């Protein structure tokens, strides 16, 4: 079966969002677009696991040994001061040995942070026997355990999709934000659009940080830390001076880091423009990471391309600055051919190192609320320790459930603190490809998702793209975006509190499968359920804030709208249709409920479809989505 990716390039083309992101206006089309480019892209292999790196392993030393170990290099080979370990290195033909986690520090016994100083990456010489090396190191009394390094594909299943909005030249939209079975981002933006102090890590094939809908009109780069977009820049690093200014173990990491140190993973050779060089340039070599990043925080309301869940709200012009959450670009994968098909692959060791980078930056004061992991995983490469360390740093981890339409649980989804995200379609049902099971925590739209895109086959780097992709890879970043909105709204919420808000307020359409988690993540519901933000002194900042919930929703004929807010205030509720026309007015008081019997002002039954309830009390407003069935 073949799936399609639909993308369109532009130079100064615009997708006007100044009206698209308000309740009463529909989206405008791309102006004067170039012809739509449609490419057929084969689906990824059914299993995300491709095997192990044949010449690399992770040796984890015991607590005593890690404090004694002194590593050096003599005559082109690694040397250590532990004779038995040196014997194994020599016998196995090791050509290099290095710390896996740069900047890791010893931890006191009982610390909530794991001690990562004992993790070392060993690379073997040509023709070495990986299993024999694992066994030899495991027998050494100085070694706690040994891990291989798994290779996995990213979790995208591209698909060509057609929906009812848009124009004849570009008939696609971001239904997953505002439609009946979307995440209600448009309504949530009335409460919070995203703070520039909040960061989301994108651990993927890289991010096209110069994409004008991510980096803004003046995008940053490895040698340029000035930007007006939504790409994170390291404030502690002076660009291009060859110095690790912030002492985090990385030189000139201005816009993130590229962890790729090999151009050939077990025969899966790198096919993109940047292969096998660890460096400070995390540019996307595939397309996957750029698409994921756009869902989290593409610049919203900048008359260009697409919106992001936590992308802020710009001034409505193409020169407008991004004022939303920031994207931290961490490249851990590259483009290759698998079974004759192009796909993205990554190493568990690179993923673990990227997680450690995030934890280090949290220690340096960067407010990373979540990371997005839209890829398969295995218990290898140090990933378990890296996850534990990141969770201890109060960072949320969202992992895509996989695209095999199976109940197989990815390894990372078994770990405490990792949130498993399945995919739904525009009908609110399980996407046909999505994995499912009792282990899934929550779902999000993943079928026909429109976002920013990078075309690795286009030699003109000034071309900017948007594209429709499908997969659980596209679901996880919706959850990252909602988490970033919650962090922006109330930075005092820890990772557990944010996840509880997301799962307890998730939307469950009629017949929603029980093995797809709590429901479809809903930005508006989660923000509305968050406790009022209290100022350091004085009365609550949000004492006039309203929240709305409809039950049942969807409904057949009758429903109640529950209004949260200071009790007793006079309240007016308008029922609006999709065109923003007022069809019914209702009066009540805050802290109560309003009953709607599904009729208009003349007592006629409304037709099935999507409606909105807009409440006003004093200067406060709130909106929620209503779905009326036959």
């Amino acid at each position: 079966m073949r799936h399609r990716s639909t993308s369109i390039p532009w130079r100064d083309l615009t997708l006007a969002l100044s009206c698209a992101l308000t309740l009463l206006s529909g989206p405008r089309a791309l102006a004067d677009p170039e012809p739509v480019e449609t490419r057929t892209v084969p689906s990824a292999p059914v299993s995300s696991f491709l095997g192990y790196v044949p010449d690399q392993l992770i040796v984890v030393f015991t607590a005593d040994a890690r404090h004694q170990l002194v590593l050096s290099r003599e005559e082109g080979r690694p040397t250590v001061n532990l004779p038995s370990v040196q014997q194994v290195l020599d016998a196995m033909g090791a050509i290099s040995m290095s710390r896996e986690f740069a900047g890791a520090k010893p931890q006191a016994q009982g610390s909530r942070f794991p001690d990562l100083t004992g993790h070392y990456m060993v690379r073997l010489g040509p023709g070495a026997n990986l299993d024999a090396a694992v066994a030899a190191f495991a027998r050494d009394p100085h070694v706690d355990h040994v891990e291989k390094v798994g290779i996995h594909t990213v979790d995208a299943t591209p698909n060509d999709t057609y929906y009812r909005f848009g124009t004849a030249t570009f008939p696609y939209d971001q239904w997953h934000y505002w439609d009946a079975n979307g995440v209600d981002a448009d309504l949530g933006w009335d409460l919070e659009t995203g703070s520039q102090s909040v960061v989301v890590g994108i651990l993927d094939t890289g991010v096209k940080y110069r994409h004008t809908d991510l980096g803004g009109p003046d995008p940053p780069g490895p040698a340029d830390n000035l930007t007006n977009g939504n790409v994170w820049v390291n404030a502690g690093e002076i660009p291009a001076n060859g110095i690790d200014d912030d002492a985090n173990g990385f030189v000139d990491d201005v816009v993130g880091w590229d962890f790729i140190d090999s151009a050939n993973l077990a025969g899966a050779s790198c096919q993109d423009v940047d292969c096998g060089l660890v460096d400070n340039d995390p540019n996307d070599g595939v397309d996957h990471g750029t698409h994921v990043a756009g869902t989290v925080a593409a610049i919203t309301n900048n008359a260009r391309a697409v919106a992001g869940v936590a992308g802020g709200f710009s001034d409505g012009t193409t020169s407008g600055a991004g004022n939303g959450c920031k994207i931290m670009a961490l490249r851990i994968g590259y483009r290759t051919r698998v079974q004759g098909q192009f796909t993205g692959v990554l190493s568990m060791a690179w993923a673990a190192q990227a997680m450690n980078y995030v934890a280090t930056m949290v220690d340096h004061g960067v407010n990373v609320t979540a990371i997005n992991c839209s890829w398969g995983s295995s218990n290898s490469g140090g990933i378990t320790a890296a996850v534990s360390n990141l969770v201890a740093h109060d960072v949320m981890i969202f992992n895509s459930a996989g695209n095999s339409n199976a109940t197989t649980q990815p390894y990372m989804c078994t770990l405490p603190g990792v949130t498993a995200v399945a995919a739904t379609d525009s009908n609110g049902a399980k996407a046909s490809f999505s994995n499912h099971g009792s282990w899934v925590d929550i779902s999000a739209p993943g079928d026909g998702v429109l976002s920013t895109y990078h075309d690795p086959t286009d030699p003109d780097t000034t071309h900017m793209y948007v594209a429709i992709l499908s997969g659980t890879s596209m679901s996880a970043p919706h959850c990252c975006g909602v988490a970033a909105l919650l962090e922006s709204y109330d930075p005092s919420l820890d990772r557990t509190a944010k996840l509880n808000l997301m799962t307890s307020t998730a939307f469950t359409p009629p017949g929603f499968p029980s093995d797809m988690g709590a429901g479809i993540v809903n930005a508006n519901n989660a923000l509305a359920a968050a406790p009022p933000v209290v100022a350091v002194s004085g009365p609550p900042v949000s004492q006039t804030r309203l929240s709305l919930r409809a039950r049942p929703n969807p409904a057949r004929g009758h429903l109640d709208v529950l209004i949260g807010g200071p009790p007793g205030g006079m309240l007016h509720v308008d029922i609006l249709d999709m065109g923003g026309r007022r069809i019914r007015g209702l009066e009540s008081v805050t802290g109560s409920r309003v009953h709607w019997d599904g009729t208009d002002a003349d007592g006629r039954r409304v037709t099935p479809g999507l409606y909105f309830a807009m409440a006003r009390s004093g200067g406060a407003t709130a909106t929620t989505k209503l779905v009326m069935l036959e």
Side-chain angles (χ1 to χ4, degrees):
M1 179 177 181
R2 289 180 178 266
H3 302 266
R4 285 187 173 181
S5 160
T6 302
S7 60
I8 183 168
W10 76 91
R11 293 179 179 84
D12 294 318
L13 309 179
T14 58
L15 177 61
L17 295 177
S18 57
C19 294
L21 304 182
T22 63
L23 173 66
L24 304 182
S25 300
R28 297 179 183 177
L30 257 121
D32 302 319
E34 298 178 17
V36 174
E37 177 183 326
T38 303
R39 293 188 308 282
T40 300
V41 181
S43 61
V46 172
S47 172
S48 81
F49 179 63
L50 301 180
Y52 294 106
V53 178
D55 61 350
Q56 191 178 85
L57 49 86
I58 305 299
V59 179
V60 183
F61 290 95
T62 64
D64 289 338
R66 68 185 62 177
H67 299 307
Q68 301 175 37
L69 183 64
V70 177
L71 174 65
S72 59
R73 188 171 182 83
E74 296 178 6
E75 298 178 354
R77 66 187 182 96
T79 60
V80 296
N81 62 333
L82 302 176
S84 62
V85 175
Q86 186 65 55
Q87 289 177 8
V88 179
L89 288 170
D90 292 340
M92 293 296 111
I95 58 177
S96 69
M97 178 175 170
S98 61
R99 285 186 180 273
E100 180 177 20
F101 300 119
K105 298 178 176 60
Q107 300 295 329
Q109 187 172 5
S111 170
R112 66 189 177 97
F113 301 113
D115 191 333
L116 302 181
T117 57
H119 286 66
Y120 283 78
M121 184 179 296
V122 176
R123 191 176 297 278
L124 307 175
N129 186 318
L130 180 64
D131 289 330
V134 169
F137 278 108
R139 287 192 297 267
D140 191 284
H142 297 296
V143 173
D144 180 85
H145 69 278
V146 183
E147 298 180 18
K148 297 179 182 179
V149 178
I151 309 166
H152 292 263
T153 61
V154 295
D155 280 342
T157 305
N159 197 355
D160 181 65
T161 315
Y162 179 91
Y163 290 97
R164 60 197 176 106
F165 288 97
T167 68
T169 54
F170 194 66
Y172 310 99
D173 57 45
Q174 292 184 289
W175 69 270
H176 37 100
Y177 290 173
W178 50 260
D179 202 11
N181 296 303
V183 300
D184 279 0
D186 58 328
L187 305 183
W189 290 329
D190 288 338
L191 302 174
E192 179 61 61
T193 59
S195 167
Q196 297 178 71
S197 67
V198 175
V199 179
V200 173
I202 305 298
L203 282 63
D204 215 288
T205 59
V207 174
K208 187 179 178 68
Y209 45 81
R210 294 194 182 280
H211 195 296
T212 49
D213 210 29
L214 294 171
D218 180 24
D224 179 10
N225 62 357
L226 300 177
T227 180
N228 54 10
N230 286 350
V231 171
W232 173 78
V233 295
N234 186 354
E237 202 68 28
I238 299 173
N241 68 350
I243 300 172
D244 181 10
D245 299 288
D246 59 355
N248 69 346
F250 298 85
V251 176
D252 291 339
D253 54 319
V254 177
V255 290
W257 197 254
D258 176 356
F259 291 88
I260 295 174
D261 64 1
S262 173
N264 195 323
L265 293 178
S269 59
C270 179
Q271 301 288 318
D272 61 44
V273 296
D274 181 9
C275 299
L277 294 175
V278 175
D279 56 43
N280 65 340
D281 187 358
N283 190 41
D284 196 350
V286 189
D287 53 37
H288 194 264
T290 301
H291 197 278
V292 165
T295 297
V296 177
I299 302 172
T300 299
N301 194 46
N302 65 338
R304 189 190 301 276
V306 293
V309 174
F313 205 87
S314 190
D315 64 5
T317 69
T318 56
S319 60
N323 56 6
C325 298
K326 302 296 185 180
I327 292 300
M328 178 184 286
L330 301 171
R331 185 173 185 242
I332 62 171
Y334 59 60
R335 185 172 185 252
T336 187
R337 282 186 182 272
V338 175
Q339 300 171 7
Q341 303 172 359
F342 278 115
T343 188
V345 298
L346 57 99
S347 152
M348 287 293 95
W350 299 338
Q353 290 172 320
M355 290 182 185
N356 183 64
Y357 179 93
V358 172
T360 299
M361 297 317 298
V362 171
D363 289 337
H364 282 238
V366 178
N367 184 17
V368 184
T369 191
I371 65 169
N372 191 86
C373 303
S374 288
W375 28 264
S377 56
S378 59
N379 184 8
S380 67
I383 198 72
T384 304
V387 165
S388 177
N389 187 39
L390 208 52
V391 171
H393 280 79
D394 197 38
V395 176
M396 303 180 77
I397 302 174
F398 292 98
N399 192 196
S400 54
N403 299 331
S404 303
N405 186 28
T407 57
T408 306
Q409 184 176 13
Y411 172 71
M412 267 181 50
C413 295
T414 70
L415 299 178
V418 176
T419 301
V421 187
T424 54
D425 61 20
S426 59
N427 296 315
K430 184 186 87 69
S432 60
F433 49 80
S434 179
N435 282 4
H436 52 100
S438 59
W439 48 272
V440 171
D441 296 298
I442 200 166
S443 293
D447 187 22
V449 172
L450 176 61
S451 184
T452 49
Y453 190 73
H454 169 63
D455 183 356
T457 67
D458 188 345
D460 190 338
T461 59
T462 65
H463 286 174
M464 306 297 166
Y465 286 82
V466 295
I468 301 282
L469 296 182
S470 294
T472 54
S473 282
M474 285 65 250
S475 304
H478 284 87
C479 291
C480 281
V482 174
L485 289 177
L486 287 169
E487 178 72 16
S488 301
Y489 175 72
D490 184 359
S492 71
L493 296 170
D494 64 14
R495 54 175 305 281
T496 302
K498 290 194 284 281
L499 182 59
N500 287 341
L501 284 168
M502 293 168 66
T503 55
S504 65
T505 62
F507 172 61
T508 53
F512 191 78
S514 60
D515 59 356
M516 291 286 284
I520 302 171
V521 67
N522 190 285
N524 186 52
N525 289 352
L527 286 164
V533 178
V534 179
V536 175
S537 61
V541 173
S542 301
Q543 58 182 355
T544 59
R545 176 170 167 262
L546 299 177
S547 65
L548 299 181
R549 295 193 200 177
R551 295 291 185 273
N553 191 23
R556 284 187 168 86
H558 297 262
L559 58 80
D560 290 318
V561 179
L562 288 70
I563 303 102
M570 292 303 299
L571 181 85
H572 181 80
V573 178
D574 284 325
I575 306 298
L576 310 169
D577 64 14
M578 275 290 290
R581 293 177 290 273
R582 179 177 179 272
I583 61 173
R584 182 76 181 271
L586 304 167
E587 304 290 339
S588 186
V589 295
T590 54
S592 64
R593 67 181 62 202
V594 170
H595 181 75
W596 182 40
D597 61 3
T599 62
D600 63 15
D602 296 323
R604 295 174 300 214
R605 179 74 56 189
V606 300
T607 58
L610 179 64
Y611 296 86
F612 298 92
M614 175 182 283
R616 299 192 303 275
S617 179
T621 62
T623 308
T624 193
K625 195 181 302 182
L626 312 174
V627 179
M628 193 61 69
L629 305 175
E630 293 183 0

